Amino acid sequence: MAVHEKKEPTTAYTDESSSTEVLNALVTEDHKHDIKLRTMSWQKAAWLLAGDQVCLAIMAQSWSLSVLGWVPGIITMVLAAMFFWITSLTMHKFIMKHPQITDICKFGYYAFGKSRLAYGFSAFMLLANNIILIGFHILTGAKVLDTLSDHSQCTVVFSVIAMLMGIVLSAPRTLHHVSFISMFSAACMGIAILLFLVFAGIEKAPLESTAAGPVRTYAFPLPGTTWVDCLNAVLNITFLWVPQILFPTFIAEMERPQDFPKSLAVLFAISIVLFIVPPAIGFRYLGQYATAPAFGSLGTAVYRKASFGFVIVPTLIIGAIYANVTAKVIYGHILGTSKHAHSNTLIGWSVWGIVMVGIWVIGFIFSEVVPSMGDFLSLLGAAFDSFFGFIFFAVAYWHLCRGKLFDGPWRTLMTVIHGAVMLVGLFLLGPGLYAAVEAIIADYSGSVTPAFSCASLGL
């Protein structure tokens, strides 16, 4: 893949002042176009981050705790939060040094010494990760509609409906517009979580517990839990805490990218509460019966519908965010630096529409032909998050601090932490990937759902 770069200022990116000058020049250039991308304030970027991260994956964390137990589960969550904060700041510092970065593909390009191979690898991983995730959101949308309607239609019909709604929501070409609806997305997911917690607390017992014994929680994994089970639970936690694949595109559409740490701080404050407290409460009430998502553990059908129904909004809007970032990479390669790339022309909008429809259609196909999307999310966590959540940023830190890795206690500590970041990334890529593949093989050895099945997915 060729790297299409705009004619940008030739200022050397050697210090903060030069980077600021380059950023100002990029914003000025962008604002000359009909379609302006670099317009988000840090507040709107925070809304966008929250809309992307306050998602259904939160409701799978109680299941992770049911596999790992309190002690390993909470430790994994806290460590994931720490790594998320540190690596995200490292990413931002690296982008400030190379302000021309507009997506994770260009981040890989510069992090690995302006390597076109690294760019191509990053682009492939971005497209594969995002399109599979879009497929997962289509499948989740169908699951919600199946649940609410008591399977009134073939599930494929509901998947098509979810796909069409996603295409409509993905129409805006700027993240500035998408950030507005992200607030609504986060609010709906928050309501779904709150309702779940209320229903889990007032129910006498979760689904299936009456026949299989009382609910109980435990500090460590139950006897018989395999290390593959534990690793998949860890990957499930990691998947939630590693959204950085989208961050370079978010930063590139801010009017002042320097302010991204403010947006990040808002997201971190929200995440540290929502990613740990509701799952912990869910595990307290569901114990060994926790499912992924936890809505499925509620014993009363009305409770499942009332809480799970709100998930349709974040499902589609988060899918639209991933589609927007994915489309921009493809769109930029098709139109390059032509006037259509930033103008309200028939060609520009036609290409955007065709690319967006194509992304959602491919995502729809994935949603129908993959037997277990949950297993494939573990695969994403191992194969992709190992790079985009850990390895890339350990390499970026090395570039930022090369020659002064051990200058003083604080720098030494950060160097040690980033060394751990690299080791975690390699661990996820090795044993983690093996565990994910083992889980997929185990699922395929049983009954496999046929492609484009009408069978109900409802909770």
Side-chain angles (χ1 to χ4, degrees):
M1 277 184 165
V3 182
H4 292 276
E5 296 187 49
K6 300 180 221 176
K7 295 179 180 178
E8 295 164 343
T10 56
T11 311
Y13 312 118
T14 55
D15 53 45
E16 185 177 347
S17 61
S18 65
S19 294
T20 301
E21 291 171 7
V22 174
L23 285 169
N24 291 338
L26 291 173
V27 171
T28 300
E29 179 189 358
D30 175 78
H31 287 188
K32 294 177 183 177
H33 301 138
D34 293 342
I35 297 176
K36 302 170 180 61
L37 299 178
R38 296 176 180 268
T39 57
M40 278 199 299
S41 63
W42 73 263
Q43 293 93 338
K44 289 187 177 179
W47 299 343
L48 187 66
L49 290 170
D52 173 51
Q53 277 301 90
V54 182
C55 60
L56 181 62
I58 295 171
M59 301 308 296
Q61 304 308 300
S62 294
W63 170 82
S64 293
L65 287 174
S66 75
V67 175
L68 297 171
W70 285 116
V71 176
I74 296 299
I75 289 175
T76 302
M77 290 176 174
V78 172
L79 287 175
M82 182 190 74
F83 284 137
F84 163 74
W85 175 254
I86 292 172
T87 55
S88 296
L89 288 178
T90 298
M91 165 187 273
H92 178 254
K93 290 175 184 176
F94 190 79
I95 292 175
M96 290 301 94
K97 186 176 180 182
H98 302 279
Q100 65 274 47
I101 292 174
T102 55
D103 51 48
I104 197 69
C105 312
K106 285 189 177 180
F107 189 97
Y109 174 72
Y110 285 100
F112 290 90
K114 296 187 177 181
S115 165
R116 294 186 180 277
L117 179 62
Y119 183 92
F121 172 78
S122 302
F124 169 77
M125 297 282 273
L126 170 73
L127 296 178
N129 180 79
N130 288 10
I131 291 175
I132 292 175
L133 275 175
I134 289 167
F136 174 76
H137 284 89
I138 292 173
L139 193 69
T140 302
K143 186 187 290 283
V144 174
L145 295 174
D146 247 341
T147 301
L148 295 178
S149 68
D150 293 321
H151 192 50
S152 63
Q153 297 287 335
C154 171
T155 299
V156 177
V157 173
F158 287 136
S159 294
V160 171
I161 292 172
M163 177 189 70
L164 293 175
M165 289 192 292
I167 291 172
V168 172
L169 288 170
S170 303
R173 282 164 65 178
T174 68
L175 288 171
H176 173 86
H177 292 88
V178 178
S179 69
F180 177 76
I181 60 175
S182 291
M183 292 186 296
F184 189 50
S185 169
C188 287
M189 192 65 222
I191 293 171
I193 293 171
L194 181 61
L195 287 174
F196 163 76
L197 295 178
V198 171
F199 294 148
I202 64 177
E203 273 194 333
K204 291 182 179 180
L207 191 66
E208 298 181 2
S209 66
T210 53
V215 170
R216 62 192 181 99
T217 61
Y218 28 89
F220 296 95
L222 292 173
T225 304
T226 67
W227 74 273
V228 171
D229 295 332
C230 291
L231 272 181
N232 275 303
V234 169
L235 288 171
N236 190 57
I237 295 171
T238 303
F239 173 79
L240 179 62
W241 279 101
V242 180
Q244 290 102 322
I245 190 172
L246 304 180
F247 284 9
T249 305
F250 293 174
I251 294 171
E253 296 201 22
M254 293 180 68
E255 192 162 19
R256 281 184 49 81
Q258 303 95 314
D259 292 338
F260 180 74
K262 298 179 184 178
S263 309
L264 187 66
V266 173
L267 174 64
F268 185 75
I270 294 171
S271 300
I272 203 70
V273 175
L274 287 183
F275 291 5
I276 297 178
V277 176
I281 296 173
F283 181 48
R284 160 65 181 80
Y285 285 109
L286 302 176
Q288 71 273 33
Y289 303 109
T291 59
F295 300 110
S297 300
L298 295 175
T300 305
V302 173
Y303 292 168
R304 291 197 296 272
K305 290 182 179 181
S307 54
F308 192 44
F310 282 93
V311 175
I312 189 68
V313 177
T315 293
L316 296 174
I317 292 175
I318 293 171
I321 294 173
Y322 276 94
N324 183 285
V325 173
T326 308
K328 280 190 170 75
V329 174
I330 302 171
Y331 183 80
H333 276 273
I334 294 174
L335 295 180
T337 56
S338 71
K339 68 174 185 177
H340 304 292
H342 296 284
S343 302
N344 289 308
T345 64
L346 179 60
I347 292 177
W349 277 104
S350 296
V351 171
W352 177 260
I354 291 170
V355 169
M356 191 59 73
V357 170
I359 288 170
W360 279 95
V361 169
I362 296 172
F364 166 76
I365 293 171
F366 268 107
S367 75
E368 296 302 312
V369 301
V370 173
S372 174
M373 287 299 289
D375 286 344
F376 275 80
L377 289 182
S378 294
L379 185 65
L380 289 181
F384 298 166
D385 292 349
S386 57
F387 286 100
F388 297 138
F390 297 94
I391 295 173
F392 271 33
F393 310 125
V395 174
Y397 175 84
W398 181 78
H399 280 294
L400 288 169
C401 302
R402 185 168 41 184
K404 49 182 180 179
L405 293 172
F406 300 98
D407 287 0
W410 178 251
R411 177 65 60 206
T412 300
L413 175 62
M414 286 295 102
T415 298
V416 170
I417 290 175
H418 282 84
V421 167
M422 174 62 82
L423 292 176
V424 170
L426 293 175
F427 178 80
L428 292 178
L429 187 61
L433 186 60
Y434 174 79
V437 171
E438 282 291 307
I440 292 173
I441 292 173
D443 275 354
Y444 269 89
S445 65
S447 59
V448 177
T449 304
F452 297 96
S453 170
C454 276
S456 175
L457 294 175
L459 297 181

